[in-house]
Every structure is written in structure tokens, then in C-alpha cells.
Amino acid sequence: MTQEITAEAFGFGAPSPWCEMRRERWELALAAEAKEVSAVRRQTRARLTQWGLPGLVDRALLCVSELITNVVTHVGCGTPVTISLCMKGTHVRIEVRDPDTRALPTLLASGDEAESGRGLAILDAVSERWGVVLGEDTKTTWCELRTGLTSPTGHTGGAPVDRAEVLIRIYGEEAVPRPEPRAQWSLALAEGAAIDIIADLLHWLRAHGCCPEEALGRAWMHLEAEDPTA
């Protein structure tokens, strides 16, 4: 019989993320050139992974590529642009700002044989919504991707992450008692608690005649099977 580990079982009340993921706005200035796209894609992947949103990477990379390529095609190669990622509620917002307020993006009903006009169709299909903001001397083309989060500082991962968070909280509050049991903890403290949990489990395995290295390997195989982006 399997018993679910829940926050309520340990007197913590309803399950809720208590270790906030702080996702600060990220910006990068560059020249809109085809050779720069791969570098921007790498940095976008790294940022979303750091934000705990690896499941968003593939869609975000498509959007980033199309937004920059759109500037290269319709404004000009070498145009100075600024790309940014930020949270907009529970969505990730991707923006590309350029200095041309005349060349407005237009969603075309392009056929299969069309040589252009399909980039925004891809953006429209991949994102939840997109649009253009005109300033006095800038144009910002943006799109938003649904994250599946319940709050801007929450986490994804479902039941495995929820169970782990219960244990991390127990370890964290034992290491650094706080007067308010529901206080938000820093990610650094939570990471330290997670490492303590792993170390204790390895001690337990060794004390019971099991091989810690083999257990770690099997655990990693489980992670990769459940999350191909790991």
C-alpha cells in the first residue's frame, strides 16, 4: 500500500509553493543578424531552464527565431534590437524591440509555396497571443506562452515536485527554525535542504547494504524517463 506524502500530514496546511522561484526580467541587446540567432537561442534555453521552465524551451526557441528573423527580413540585417524575457502573470512574455515603427508585422494567409509571410503564422500557432506595441521611435513585437504555473513564482513538475517540496520544507525548518512556519524561503536555502535530503538518503542506503552510486544512477534514469528535457 502506497501512502502519499502531503503537506497536511505534517501540519503545513494546504499544499502551496513556499520556495518562490524569482524570475527577474532578462534583456539582451544585439544586432539582428542570422548568425546571432543561435546564440540568442542558447541564452533563451539557459534562462528558461534556470527559471525551472524546461518544458517551455522548444516553443520559446521557435518564437525567438521567428521574431528576430522577422526584423532581419522586414527591417534590415544588422538592425539594433533588444530581446527580453519576463513573466506576465503565469505566462512568459518574449519581446523584441527595434527602431523601425513603419515595418509592422502582418499575419498573412500564406500558401505552402509562399517564400515569406509564414513566420508570424508559426508565432500565432505556437504562442497563446502576440501583438505589437508602438512607441515614439521604437516598435516592440511580443508573444506570450502559457507556463502551466498557478502563480508567477510557483513551480512546475506536478506530484513529484510537490512531494519533494514537503520534505525540503521539513529539512529547511529543522536547519533554520523560523517563528512563522509559512514564511517564504530562499531558493538557496531550499537547495541546501535538498542536498541534505539526498546525502541522508545515500547514508541510509549504505547503512542498509545498498550501493549509493547504483541508486543514483537508477534515480537519474527515472528522471530522464519522466522528463526527457532533464
Side-chain angles (χ1 to χ4, degrees):
M1 179 178 179
T2 302
Q3 183 175 1
E4 182 75 9
I5 298 176
T6 65
E8 294 95 326
F10 293 95
F12 291 141
S16 61
W18 55 272
C19 177
E20 293 184 338
M21 284 289 295
R22 301 197 177 193
R23 301 176 173 99
E24 303 293 339
R25 183 183 182 89
W26 172 77
E27 288 191 353
L28 176 67
L30 69 151
E33 299 178 6
K35 65 180 182 180
E36 297 288 350
V37 173
S38 59
V40 175
R41 286 168 59 92
R42 285 196 300 273
Q43 294 194 53
T44 300
R45 177 187 295 275
R47 182 62 49 173
L48 290 175
T49 300
Q50 183 182 9
W51 282 1
L53 301 171
L56 228 61
V57 167
D58 289 343
R59 286 188 292 153
L61 296 188
L62 270 176
C63 293
V64 165
S65 297
E66 296 304 334
L67 288 170
I68 294 179
T69 301
N70 187 68
V71 175
V72 173
T73 302
H74 299 289
V75 182
C77 184
T79 299
V81 299
T82 300
I83 182 169
S84 65
L85 272 68
C86 65
M87 294 300 299
K88 188 76 171 178
T90 57
H91 289 69
V92 165
R93 185 180 177 104
I94 303 171
E95 300 178 347
V96 171
R97 186 171 67 249
D98 69 72
D100 194 327
T101 59
R102 298 166 300 169
L104 298 181
T106 303
L107 180 61
L108 303 177
S110 301
D112 291 340
E113 303 302 320
E115 295 182 358
S116 63
R118 300 175 63 184
L120 288 179
I122 294 174
L123 191 71
D124 188 64
V126 170
S127 66
E128 304 306 320
R129 48 185 174 261
W130 66 277
V132 181
V133 177
L134 291 178
E136 291 185 4
D137 54 3
T138 62
K139 173 178 83 265
T140 301
T141 307
W142 59 269
C143 67
E144 293 179 1
L145 304 176
R146 181 181 291 120
T147 62
L149 298 171
T150 57
S151 72
T153 58
H155 62 65
T156 59
V161 176
D162 290 338
R163 290 195 296 267
E165 188 156 283
V166 173
L167 296 176
I168 290 171
R169 182 168 181 175
I170 294 170
Y171 269 66
E173 292 190 345
E174 180 178 306
V176 186
R178 300 285 182 90
E180 173 52 57
R182 294 196 179 189
Q184 296 293 326
W185 293 74
S186 71
L187 183 59
L189 177 60
E191 182 181 17
I195 292 171
D196 288 342
I197 292 171
I198 295 170
D200 284 356
L201 290 174
L202 294 179
H203 280 299
W204 185 93
L205 288 166
R206 179 170 290 173
H208 287 77
C210 302
C211 176
E213 291 81 4
E214 180 182 345
L216 282 174
R218 290 169 60 188
W220 188 256
M221 289 174 61
H222 277 289
L223 175 63
E224 289 182 323
E226 297 172 358
D227 183 2
T229 65

